[in-house]
Amino acid sequence: MTDTLTALWAELEQIAFPSLTALFADSDRLARTVSTLDLADGAIRFDWSKTHLCAEAQAVLTRIAEHQNFADKRRQLFAGEPINTTEGRAAEHTAERGSGSPASVVEAEALHERTRALVEAIHDGLFGEVRSLIHIGIGGSALGPALAIDALTRDSARVAVHVVSNIDGCALEAAFRRCDPATTMIALASKTFTTTETLVNAASALDWLRAGGVDDVYGRVIALTADPDRAVAWGVDETRVLPFAQSVGGRYSLWSSIGFPIALALGYDGFAQMLDGGAVIDRHFLETPLADNAVVRAAFADLIYAQALRCQTRAVFAYDERLALLPSYLQQLEMESNGKRVTAQGAPLTRPSAPVTWGGVGTDAQHAVFQLLHQGTHLIPVDFIAVKVPGHDLDPAHHQILLSNCFAQGAALMAGQASDDGARAYPGNRPSATILIDDLTPAALGALIAFHEQRTFVSAVLLGINPFDQFGVELGKAIAKKIESGGGAGFDASTEALLALAGIG
Ligand code: F6P
């Protein structure tokens, strides 16, 4: 790290952050820290007022951004330049939602048309009666579809999608129990088409179809991949291979053909609305000055907590059952992107990298883990995510109580409460941000996800790391492969004993 950069981070660390209540003494606090972005069918309010983002920190972080050529890096991202330096390629997920280099946008649109055609063919009955899709993929090839389908199609799916990721056969068996082989198609989602879990699950799914009396099992398979040749070599007919660009990273891929199951469950137009919602964030991120930029503000607050106040985790609580899978989605997005120990140039990172992302749903989490948030010794910045329109038709009291609790938690964390009895005292000054969505439409979900992608990107740029590779996952995979191929000797005594006990290797 250069001396200037080291000095800038030191400046951030030395700020005497005012308390949250002191920050609220500024009558313009909300104007400075809250943004409302309009979508085609509603708005999203990003309220960062109850964080320690103050003018002084904003100024230092802006200088760090300038030092790290943030504006140019952001331009490179959208221009499709090779910003993923360690792998020598671009990161073109934004082109999937129309915000990229013209050539990449045109290519993405053409590939989306193939997705649309296949979805509509299935809906129109060209593959016979299709009631279920077993979507097999893992990591970025599963988490996005699982989140979107759970959020948007709970009781309205046009085709019931069961997302299976784990190699543990219990996961696949659970899907089999809910499907009839005669009316089920299989989607194999893998950017590389080499992932062990996905290929082993795929083979078992074909066995299940065969055992269920399906003659042409390969005729039921669709592949979603950036390596169409491998999918064809595996046995998928090329008319049912939906490719996407190599420059779209796995954890950023739900916008590409990996979103096929979303489109199948929701209808293609709904999927297209998700893309449009993502594009609204892209435009805001690209065009809004840093001080008013909701994405940049969120990332700046993240950096205050992780870098200056050394928080090791950040928590996300969705006060909406439909967003129950959001924390797992964000875990991969943030931890696989920014959990790095070297800079993009390979020099040691001398600062903490991404905090651990964790979370759950409200109000459940209130009755389980919030004790620590209010009175524990860790400082944990919290994001609350809530939706104004309920996702159910029950008594409106449910939703009023849900939202009251959500807002009460943010207020309580910030204000705290004095007491002579230490056990009953709440220190307060604990930060939270609130994202309030008008209605959980496809566009709103697309915007919510894109907001987090870009927020992760900003942190990476300021830290000088490459958020688009994930070499850290390779070593464990290689060792597992070695064990599977019988080359499992020569480990430490603990591993040897475990392997022997399990009869492996
Ligand atoms: O092992 C991590 C990872 O490479 C993720 O980055 C990726 O989303 C996941 O595995 C699945 O990879 P693929 O889509 O190539 O099967």
Side-chain angles (χ1 to χ4, degrees):
M1 204 179 306
T2 62
D3 289 347
T4 321
L5 190 56
T6 309
L8 284 168
W9 283 116
E11 239 185 273
L12 186 75
E13 284 171 3
Q14 279 149 22
I15 291 175
F17 285 96
S19 71
L20 295 173
T21 30
L23 287 169
F24 269 83
D26 172 4
S27 57
D28 283 341
R29 180 72 187 157
L30 295 192
R32 288 187 214 285
T33 50
V34 180
S35 305
T36 301
L37 300 197
D38 289 323
L39 307 171
D41 51 10
I44 307 189
R45 180 180 172 93
F46 296 92
D47 181 342
W48 254 252
S49 60
K50 298 194 206 69
T51 70
H52 289 88
L53 194 61
C54 58
E56 202 183 337
Q58 209 149 6
V60 177
L61 285 158
T62 302
R63 280 158 60 212
I64 296 176
E66 280 160 10
H67 185 278
Q68 298 290 57
N69 298 322
F70 168 71
D72 195 49
K73 293 268 166 44
R74 181 179 54 180
R75 182 199 60 74
Q76 287 176 33
L77 174 74
F78 285 101
E81 290 179 17
I83 192 157
N84 175 358
T85 45
T86 50
E87 297 182 300
R89 62 183 177 218
E92 295 196 280
H93 45 285
T94 64
E96 299 288 328
R97 40 197 199 232
S99 331
S101 80
S104 300
V105 170
V106 167
E107 190 192 326
E109 282 171 356
L111 294 175
H112 278 141
E113 277 313 308
R114 290 181 61 166
T115 300
R116 180 201 287 274
L118 189 53
V119 164
E120 290 179 352
I122 295 172
H123 286 162
D124 291 347
L126 269 68
F127 289 82
E129 188 187 5
V130 178
R131 288 201 187 155
S132 320
L133 177 83
I134 300 183
H135 175 91
I136 298 175
I138 197 163
S141 293
L143 290 163
L147 165 63
I149 288 163
D150 196 41
L152 302 174
T153 71
R154 290 206 147 206
D155 50 9
S156 58
R158 296 186 62 173
V159 172
V161 177
H162 307 278
V163 177
V164 175
S165 49
N166 203 344
I167 186 67
D168 184 339
C170 294
L172 197 52
E173 273 187 354
F176 293 160
R177 276 197 291 276
R178 298 167 71 192
C179 299
D180 173 357
T183 56
T184 300
M185 293 192 78
I186 310 286
L188 303 184
S190 176
K191 178 176 177 185
T192 56
F193 224 82
T194 60
T195 302
T196 306
E197 290 90 333
T198 301
L199 296 180
V200 172
N201 277 330
S204 294
L206 293 197
D207 289 345
W208 173 76
L209 287 178
R210 265 184 218 106
V214 174
D215 294 331
D216 175 16
V217 292
Y218 284 98
R220 295 292 187 80
V221 178
I222 295 151
L224 320 171
T225 183
D227 197 337
D229 293 343
R230 271 185 201 275
V232 171
W234 190 86
V236 188
D237 190 277
E238 64 184 335
T239 57
R240 288 188 310 282
V241 176
L242 299 178
F244 64 95
Q246 279 292 352
S247 55
V248 175
R251 56 191 167 278
Y252 300 88
S253 64
L254 90 161
W255 317 99
S256 73
S257 65
I258 293 291
F260 164 81
I262 307 172
L264 192 68
L266 190 61
Y268 190 86
D269 290 347
F271 178 64
Q273 286 158 20
M274 252 185 85
L275 301 179
D276 292 344
V280 170
I281 292 292
D282 290 335
R283 278 195 295 278
H284 173 82
F285 176 51
L286 198 53
E287 292 165 7
T288 313
L290 298 200
D292 303 319
N293 197 308
V295 174
V296 172
R297 234 182 236 152
F300 278 9
D302 291 341
L303 291 165
I304 289 172
Y305 293 116
Q307 303 299 319
L309 302 177
R310 300 281 165 150
C311 300
Q312 294 191 336
T313 81
R314 82 173 201 94
V316 181
F317 295 101
Y319 272 66
D320 198 296
E321 197 65 24
R322 295 167 293 176
L323 293 172
L325 298 179
L326 183 68
S328 339
Y329 180 84
L330 295 179
Q331 279 179 330
Q332 186 197 17
L333 174 64
E334 298 178 8
M335 293 162 73
E336 196 167 69
S337 296
N338 288 353
K340 307 283 165 68
R341 58 187 285 284
V342 293
T343 66
Q345 288 70 40
L349 186 68
T350 54
R351 311 206 51 80
S353 68
V356 172
T357 306
W358 63 284
V361 285
T363 59
D364 290 4
Q366 287 178 207
H367 299 274
V369 298
F370 274 38
Q371 163 64 38
L372 182 148
L373 298 181
H374 288 283
Q375 289 187 317
T377 53
H378 300 82
L379 179 66
I380 301 180
V382 178
D383 279 8
F384 294 111
I385 300 170
V387 182
K388 277 202 237 171
V389 177
H392 59 83
D393 299 323
L394 301 186
D395 184 341
H398 284 269
H399 207 60
Q400 277 163 22
I401 296 169
L402 180 72
L403 295 191
S404 308
N405 271 276
C406 177
F407 305 148
Q409 291 300 326
L413 284 164
M414 172 169 135
Q417 185 171 281
S419 168
D420 294 339
D421 175 353
R424 289 179 172 76
Y426 296 77
N429 197 30
R430 300 203 165 189
S432 67
T434 305
I435 298 177
L436 182 60
I437 299 169
D438 276 355
D439 194 3
L440 191 56
T441 60
L445 183 69
L448 183 68
I449 294 172
F451 170 83
H452 284 92
E453 286 180 350
Q454 302 296 19
R455 172 181 182 176
T456 305
F457 174 75
V458 178
S459 276
V461 171
L462 266 66
L463 287 170
I465 61 181
N466 175 8
F468 299 117
D469 64 13
Q470 60 284 320
F471 293 111
V473 301
E474 297 305 333
L475 178 62
K477 283 188 202 173
I479 294 178
K481 283 223 161 83
K482 193 174 155 203
I483 294 170
E484 284 152 34
S485 61
F491 292 114
D492 59 89
S494 159
T495 308
E496 290 286 354
L498 291 167
L499 288 168
L501 279 170
I504 296 171

